Amino acid sequence: EIAKDKHGVGQVLLRNLRGTSVRISLHGGQVLSWKTDHGEELLFISSKATFKPEAVRGGIPICFPQFGNRGSLEQHGFARNRMWIVDDNSPPLHPNDSNGKTYIDLLLKSTDDDLKIWPHGFEFRLRVALAFDGSLTLISRIRNINCKPFSFSIAYHTYFAVSDISEVRVEGLETLDYLDNLCNRERFTEQGDALTFESEVDRVYLSSSDVVAVFDHEKKRTFLIKKEGLPDVVVWNPWEKKSKAIADFGDEEYKHMLCVDGAAIEKPITLKPGEEWTGRLELSVTPTS
Ligand code: BG6
């Protein structure tokens, strides 16, 4: 189902037989909504979100080919600022990635303007798939269609909706090294406990296991993040002071969101001419007893 938003931008709605739904904008290939069969939104979108060249504040913007300001490009790269197209001729994926799922394939190809700022021809295919059990999978296939190698970083900047950030715990990052964006990307080592939140956090955890869990005690639910090809995990919450400085973010909204991104940042991925890279992120939600 393809509709237009009020700015005339195409949006794709996926709905499974149980009534779980996912909405994706062709602007940025950005997932804007993921709702349970009860109509409850699982992703955070700011009440101040506006349509702007950069991504809408919330959902799952894709940071590519650069994460943050680590490079010469605009913050988080240009993919989230481009119009993607629906790709009707996407090459097949592994059958398990299609069976019983409702999905859409999107495509972003480097334009002449992109080549001026990032001189590397690429094709970025994004499959967004909704399974019968409600899990949401994003599969990125990035191909070098150039005649020389290039390197890139990528992050699925996932804004989870949480009831109260001070009641949230993240497991799966214990004992890992991380780069702290609040300390000039200095490297630290996480202690043994699950992560809890009481101030601004802006970190890249390095080489995590393939499953990370976000427990929301108040809601009694857990988000599971399963990833392949995405060794790093970004954890971001702007907290009180930074929130006030972000124009498209409500002053109190930091209490109700947490970004936990599957990513490949520390060691950029290099593709030789003709080579393709695949990265997979699967998000699911389960009640916590
Ligand atoms: C985080 C960065 O991942 O994304 C932060 O580390 C940044 O520094 C945040 O503020 C949001 O970025 P943006 O460009 O969407 O406002």
Side-chain angles (χ1 to χ4, degrees), residues 11 22 60 68 71 80 82 88 91 93 128 143 156 171 184 203 214 252 256 262 284:
Q11 289 199 345
V22 171
I60 315 182
R80 65 178 183 164
R82 295 288 182 272
D88 293 322
L93 270 159
V128 182
R143 178 178 289 279
Y156 295 100
E171 283 187 11
N184 299 319
R203 298 176 180 171
V214 179
E252 301 287 322
H256 306 299
S284 56

Side-chain angles (χ1 to χ4, degrees), residues 52-70:
K52 54 186 174 76
E54 306 85 49
V56 166
R57 176 72 56 199
I60 315 182
I62 293 177
C63 308
F64 170 87
Q66 173 184 303
F67 180 76
N69 54 11
R70 297 163 159 79

Side-chain angles (χ1 to χ4, degrees), residues 57 67 75-76 80 157 159 181 202 234 236 242 261:
R57 176 72 56 199
F67 180 76
Q75 160 97 341
H76 291 326
R80 65 178 183 164
H157 208 343
Y159 286 73
N181 275 333
D202 190 350
V234 176
W236 182 61
K242 183 72 77 57
D261 320 2

Side-chain angles (χ1 to χ4, degrees), residues 22 59 177 182 194 213 268:
V22 171
D177 281 4
L182 302 178

Side-chain angles (χ1 to χ4, degrees), residues 148-174:
K148 55 182 193 331
F150 67 72
S151 301
F152 65 88
S153 296
I154 183 168
Y156 295 100
H157 208 343
T158 312
Y159 286 73
F160 290 103
V162 297
S163 43
D164 176 359
I165 187 68
S166 56
E167 300 286 324
V168 169
R169 199 173 86 234
V170 176
E171 283 187 11
L173 304 174
E174 302 84 345

Side-chain angles (χ1 to χ4, degrees), residues 1-63:
E1 193 183 322
I2 299 193
K4 294 246 159 109
D5 70 10
K6 61 180 183 207
H7 306 281
V9 175
Q11 289 199 345
V12 179
L13 184 69
L14 303 177
R15 192 185 289 278
N16 71 10
L17 289 171
R18 282 189 178 167
T20 310
S21 65
V22 171
R23 196 156 43 85
I24 308 125
S25 174
L26 295 185
H27 186 264
Q30 183 175 356
V31 173
L32 293 178
S33 163
W34 174 33
K35 279 187 183 162
T36 66
D37 46 355
H38 297 111
E40 194 179 356
E41 184 56 69
L42 298 170
L43 298 176
F44 167 87
I45 288 271
S46 171
S47 62
K48 298 259 177 80
T50 49
F51 186 80
K52 54 186 174 76
E54 306 85 49
V56 166
R57 176 72 56 199
I60 315 182
I62 293 177
C63 308

